[in-house]
Amino acid sequence: MVKLSKRMERLADMVTGGGCLADVGTDHGYVPIYLCEKKRILSAVAMDVRRGPLERAEAHIREAGLEAYIETRLSDGLEGLRAGEAHTVLIAGMGGPLTVRILSDGQEKLEGAGELILQPQSEIAKVRRWLSENGYEIVREDTVLEDGKFYPMFRAVPGSPKEAYTEEEYRYGRPELQHSPDVWKEFLGKRLEEQKGILAHLPGEREGQAARIRKRRMELKEEIRVLEKMLERLSAGT
């Protein structure tokens, strides 16, 4: 049986069983193999934009004897998926802007999908905002600490959020949805200390750079305010 990293196992555990998984950027194909071996999904489409990773995935699928259940496709984002084909769409390990581009370009392919499992590597607020503005509600957030790095991830389903998101919620998520609050608290705390350290070592407003330094100082103070507010909400349980 295939062994997943902590991050990938947590993503796999977010998948609702019984349907077809579309794994965008499948790389080694480990997640669909893992879920098929556990009989959590009926089938999968493993897709990647690069031929090399797809060939590795194909080899691993053959080794697991799962060719009848997992199909591989060379695909840029959701291009190779048919509308309504997958119940779950998984996009992990890509930057936020690329994740948004894949979702935007493939919106018609998402018709009929019951859930999106997403783990953007950067600019996560852009992904949460896209979901909110395009008819998806985030129903579960999680944070994994692996090899010294924090990985936020979430599960979204069709439907509008019951309440509009605040700017800080777009950046860091909603405390009440967080599956690993202790890890999330550690993530926020470390981020807060980092921002305070940068602010403390920011140079004075030198001639010719005063406006830029002033702008940076204001940005850091705002980020510190947001992080402190999120930590207060977590402590208050709201």
Side-chain angles (χ1 to χ4, degrees):
M1 185 166 290
V2 70
K3 175 72 173 173
L4 295 182
S5 67
K6 185 178 179 181
R7 173 178 69 96
M8 299 309 291
E9 185 173 358
R10 194 70 61 83
L11 283 165
D13 288 345
M14 280 190 172
V15 174
T16 303
C20 174
L21 167 73
D23 185 16
V24 182
T26 194
D27 198 16
H28 291 78
Y30 287 150
V31 171
I33 292 171
Y34 172 88
L35 289 169
C36 279
E37 287 181 333
K38 284 186 167 290
K39 302 189 185 306
R40 286 271 309 284
I41 58 174
L42 299 177
S43 61
V45 180
M47 302 185 292
D48 207 289
V49 71
R50 298 167 297 165
R51 170 53 64 186
L54 206 61
E55 289 175 348
R56 289 197 297 272
E58 289 166 354
H60 294 144
I61 292 164
R62 285 194 300 272
E63 288 169 10
L66 293 170
E67 303 100 308
Y69 301 94
I70 305 174
E71 181 181 349
T72 60
R73 294 178 193 168
L74 192 66
S75 174
D76 182 2
L78 294 164
E79 189 178 82
L81 191 69
R82 295 187 290 274
E85 184 175 16
H87 175 265
T88 302
V89 174
L90 169 65
I91 307 174
M94 302 180 195
L98 177 55
T99 301
V100 167
R101 195 269 290 172
I102 289 171
L103 292 170
S104 297
D105 290 353
Q107 272 189 285
E108 72 283 358
K109 307 295 180 71
L110 296 174
E111 292 179 14
E115 61 186 7
L116 307 177
I117 311 296
L118 307 174
Q119 188 264 299
Q121 297 281 66
S122 64
E123 299 183 67
I124 299 170
K126 290 184 177 180
V127 181
R128 289 194 183 96
R129 191 180 299 276
W130 187 94
L131 293 170
S132 178
E133 294 174 351
N134 287 273
Y136 287 92
E137 178 186 9
I138 296 174
V139 294
R140 174 171 169 170
E141 295 254 4
D142 207 346
T143 309
V144 172
L145 174 59
E146 184 176 59
D147 298 329
K149 185 174 180 179
F150 292 95
Y151 295 94
M153 57 188 68
F154 35 88
R155 175 178 178 265
V157 299
S160 299
K162 296 175 180 62
E163 294 181 15
Y165 268 63
T166 62
E167 285 303 315
E168 55 261 28
E169 288 172 341
Y170 278 129
R171 291 189 205 182
Y172 295 109
R174 287 180 164 166
E176 63 270 21
L177 300 179
Q178 183 58 234
H179 186 69
S180 304
D182 290 342
V183 180
W184 190 64
K185 183 177 181 180
E186 184 180 355
F187 163 63
L188 293 176
K190 288 198 172 183
R191 174 78 175 167
L192 178 59
E193 291 308 308
E194 287 171 2
Q195 299 305 294
K196 285 182 174 179
I198 295 170
L199 179 61
H201 291 91
L202 205 62
E205 295 181 8
R206 303 167 184 164
E207 188 176 346
Q209 297 184 346
R212 182 181 64 82
I213 293 170
R214 193 179 306 119
K215 180 174 181 287
R216 180 61 175 144
R217 182 175 288 110
M218 290 176 62
E219 290 171 348
L220 288 165
K221 286 182 176 180
E222 172 62 12
E223 185 72 2
I224 288 167
R225 183 196 67 79
V226 167
L227 287 160
E228 288 177 338
K229 183 174 181 178
M230 297 307 287
L231 283 164
E232 286 172 8
R233 282 185 59 181
L234 181 60
S235 298
T238 59

